[in-house]
Amino acid sequence: MAPHILRIDCPDEPGLVHKITGVLYNAGYNVLSNQEFVDLESQHFFMRTAFEGPTTPDRVVSYLEQILPKNAVVKLTAGEHQPLVIMATTEAHCLGDLLIRYYSGELPGEIRAVVSNHEKLKSLVEQFGIPFHCISHQNLERTVHEDRVADVLAGYTPEYIVLAKYMRILSPKFVARYPDRMINIHHSFLPAFIGAKPYHQAHERGVKIIGATAHIVTDDLDTGPIIAQGVIPVNHTHTAAAMVQAGRDVEKIVLARAVKLVLEERVFLHGNRTIIFE
Amino acid sequence: MAPHILRIDCPDEPGLVHKITGVLYNAGYNVLSNQEFVDLESQHFFMRTAFEGPTTPDRVVSYLEQILPKNAVVKLTAGEHQPLVIMATTEAHCLGDLLIRYYSGELPGEIRAVVSNHEKLKSLVEQFGIPFHCISHQNLERTVHEDRVADVLAGYTPEYIVLAKYMRILSPKFVARYPDRMINIHHSFLPAFIGAKPYHQAHERGVKIIGATAHIVTDDLDTGPIIAQGVIPVNHTHTAAAMVQAGRDVEKIVLARAVKLVLEERVFLHGNRTIIFE
Amino acid sequence: MAPHILRIDCPDEPGLVHKITGVLYNAGYNVLSNQEFVDLESQHFFMRTAFEGPTTPDRVVSYLEQILPKNAVVKLTAGEHQPLVIMATTEAHCLGDLLIRYYSGELPGEIRAVVSNHEKLKSLVEQFGIPFHCISHQNLERTVHEDRVADVLAGYTPEYIVLAKYMRILSPKFVARYPDRMINIHHSFLPAFIGAKPYHQAHERGVKIIGATAHIVTDDLDTGPIIAQGVIPVNHTHTAAAMVQAGRDVEKIVLARAVKLVLEERVFLHGNRTIIFE
Amino acid sequence: MAPHILRIDCPDEPGLVHKITGVLYNAGYNVLSNQEFVDLESQHFFMRTAFEGPTTPDRVVSYLEQILPKNAVVKLTAGEHQPLVIMATTEAHCLGDLLIRYYSGELPGEIRAVVSNHEKLKSLVEQFGIPFHCISHQNLERTVHEDRVADVLAGYTPEYIVLAKYMRILSPKFVARYPDRMINIHHSFLPAFIGAKPYHQAHERGVKIIGATAHIVTDDLDTGPIIAQGVIPVNHTHTAAAMVQAGRDVEKIVLARAVKLVLEERVFLHGNRTIIFE
């Protein structure tokens, strides 16, 4: 049986670890692992605890609320797989990598559907037995297109949206539907090369290392909280096209890592930064 | 003021974190950071806590002994710099790197002396104002040589001995003088290429990555608990000599990292493995 | 149009580059890139040249044979995709990664079939429209099993065999059918942890970095010439099972890299080492 | 004896490798290694050849000029150590690393002096027997200060100036004295975090990897051609100060690598990019 996962996020005050672990200890639960962090600048406390026990921890949250500061955010999950919808455009490497992981049982989530603005990836997705929706943006205003996408997404009640090289900018209105619940892969080592064609920018600048960044989507393009980054060396023999190709391996590994961290309840947002208990 | 560092290492039992943090909380101390780990295979508990408070924590250890399992190992330090002696032979890169860090105030320890079996590094060490002892092994039996080295070391009462490319094998008798307190850098990615001339072995084998390993010295050559490892890529253009040269940068960084981790009380030994709270 | 690729491998002698490039220049070809290496220990010369021109280079090889040392090995290809058969057992990550790359047109080869000693990966392979052969080893002597596998392979006339986590040891007789043409992924940073359960060995040894190695298969288990290696950091929180999972991302990237290098005619074998023109 | 190094940089045309190697072959020289690259976008040719022979290659350059395009840049060196002056401010890690390498004979150059705008590093430099000049910028206009620095530099006739954490911006007039001959280390993974306090910017942005960049100094701050870059992972536990400390190891390794590449005549500038034959 998967352990229970408890997440707590609140202003720091003395004795929090002692009090929280006391609630679990007194209720007879066995703590398997416990990670905490205090951001000293903001005096904010973060904790993730995996624990197990003979009964379901129904009353743990109410006990905790009695001892924690008023505006504490407490989340308790039972390790269940959370539902995802993936959005993509035409590139198969990130999407394909997630599909293979899902097929292998390696992804701690449930891919309910894939939505794309192109037909190209339809056969790849459907051969895995997953619904594929092509919603072309051709001849549609942005808001109309986004509303159609949103309607399809809503039908799957996803906890998270994964943008696996979805190559359209999303409006604040769209982003607001899934606040802090959309994960994007940007094909550069942010904050370098924000925006379009980052590998071409990287080639132009003559960098010796390129990278990829998985981040939470916010209203501002490519500036949301970073979850994971990865890099690979390049040199003068790499054209921009060669960088695109080389970068794919980093993109897919970084995106999959970020998705896994989020699904396992390891990622806390704090302003524009993330606290991640690996 | 540097925070107090508390290290605890004992068989696991329910509620340890709750009880330990309770001792600190009730005594009025403020926990700055707290890391713990339970090795599930051996059911062993490890914890490192940094805390601060208005008074010196004289009685914390005795309070802890009342609540911890009988054979718990508890160590409380006040962040003071611990004394080191470095041993080297003829290569300057690891030694020099530690000397520069010490000069810059970057090393959380006190280099009391350098002992070598060659004269070569004398001027480098002495220009930093650090005593240098050359104890040649020429025409001496191993035990006689080691006894002379041990006498010199003893005069400096070091907490740790750092072998910064000391190229002689140490006898179990010598190692027993500083049990779990000698740190060595081996110039390979252990356990590959144990023993002499690892870069030549690596070249012969045609590997594409080489590395270095910092470990605690035990009786068996190059098999002690590993603290840190690092790697760099190589290719067919690297002769064994080129690997030696390329490897130096990894060796010095890995050794310095391991020494820093040990000096900051972040390394726990557990059988032949290490638990490291970074 | 893909450029022509010329590979030359012969004892070194003065003026080889001058003479070889002269053949191409005088025949009106345009050299796009040129890489050469002389192994000074063995005085052996290696060269890979990409060139293009108005006509097919039918006579280039015969011209070269007139100016090169007698035992020169010359290979000229026109960038065509070479046929592969993949062998696997039950794990999907390496196989799946190759299938996605093949689907995307990213793999410069043609996957003609997958052969496995288990049924498990059948649906994954067939959904990509690729023939899958399960040849169980149950109740069969090794030689009988290998002969059946060999018969199936022979039907596809593969240029290369890729062992994508094929978990059976192959006999010298089998290996001799595809000399220097079988690529294996071993799930350790060779030469550390040769043989079975390398991640369990790595966990036991307490290493801080794990890796994977792609190599040419020879008669001796896990000792063939290395093509590519990759690593990732691990720490005390990784159980052996967690290392297995973390290692998969390295394994698949390293194997795919090795396969691509071989297919692009970038890998030369030289004794137990490889010269690779990236 | 060190081999002769020949560098050629000119517009590409058919047969260049053939013609150039012909000059060396016909003059009786033995090519030890040969690297060339054609930038296809700009149709520009780069070549670095190491060769040896019985006589000094006095006439090779004039022979080459007869066969190369008119505006070819040809440079022939005999592997001699070129003179450097290092500029620094108060941080010891980059400077100290270069000094230790120089002491060990590992740096293929001659450090003639160190110039700083602070007194702090004086004893460190002088204990290595190297002249140290403190030229304070206090109460001086920028141009006056720079003129004084330039006068001191001129006395040492350096081929290259190495900025080892020299924390003042240099005017275009100053830079113009050593065009393409000044190497700087910037403490970020450029082009991210140009300008002041890059680690603080990195912390603010919440990146998961930080880096350092060695580049040729041009008139625009931190935008010159990049020679080498390096990175290390960071996480939420790193304050800006901890990033500063962690970054030092990358800075010193990256700067030393860049200096070595330049001294060994491996770096070609091409617009704002570098071609580097490693």
Side-chain angles (χ1 to χ4, degrees), chain D residues 47-220:
Chain D
M47 183 167 177
R48 180 189 186 272
T49 301
F51 65 97
E52 61 183 8
T55 61
T56 48
D58 298 332
R59 308 177 72 174
V60 161
V61 173
S62 62
Y63 287 144
L64 287 168
E65 279 164 356
Q66 294 168 29
I67 58 149
L68 290 172
K70 282 239 166 91
N71 42 1
V73 179
V74 179
K75 184 175 178 185
L76 181 63
T77 55
E80 67 272 18
H81 281 196
Q82 301 182 85
L84 309 176
V85 173
I86 299 174
M87 293 175 69
T89 295
T90 57
E91 289 177 90
H93 59 288
C94 285
L95 173 62
D97 190 61
L98 291 170
L99 292 172
I100 294 286
R101 288 173 198 268
Y102 185 53
Y103 169 90
S104 308
E106 202 189 307
L107 196 76
E110 179 199 346
I111 300 177
R112 291 207 173 150
V114 175
V115 174
S116 177
N117 53 329
H118 280 270
E119 284 287 348
K120 191 173 171 196
L121 299 167
K122 180 180 169 73
S123 69
L124 176 66
V125 173
E126 290 184 346
Q127 75 188 30
F128 281 90
I130 292 169
F132 178 88
H133 298 267
C134 174
I135 305 172
S136 173
H137 61 279
Q138 298 284 88
N139 308 317
L140 289 186
E141 279 185 50
R142 176 174 303 276
T143 51
V144 178
H145 180 250
E146 285 194 348
D147 284 349
R148 292 196 191 170
V149 171
D151 284 351
V152 171
L153 293 183
Y156 290 102
T157 56
E159 182 65 19
Y160 295 105
I161 309 292
V162 178
L163 305 180
K165 303 286 284 182
Y166 182 71
M167 303 307 280
R168 288 177 62 79
I169 294 170
L170 295 167
S171 71
K173 183 186 163 199
F174 188 92
V175 172
R177 295 173 194 262
Y178 297 96
D180 298 343
R181 288 158 58 200
M182 303 182 68
I183 304 159
N184 184 44
I185 181 74
H186 181 75
H187 41 316
S188 90
F189 184 77
L190 288 174
F193 311 128
I194 285 178
K197 292 194 168 280
Y199 291 121
H200 292 75
Q201 293 181 56
H203 181 257
E204 197 64 29
R205 180 61 188 91
V207 295
K208 300 300 184 187
I209 296 179
I210 57 172
T213 304
H215 63 95
I216 296 293
V217 179
T218 56
D219 288 2
D220 289 325

Side-chain angles (χ1 to χ4, degrees), chain A residues 97 101 127-128 249 252, chain C residues 92 97 101 127-128 249 252:
Chain A
D97 190 61
R101 288 173 198 268
Q127 75 188 28
F128 282 90
D249 283 357
K252 75 186 185 189
Chain C
D97 190 61
R101 287 173 199 268
Q127 75 187 31
F128 282 90
D249 282 357
K252 75 185 184 190

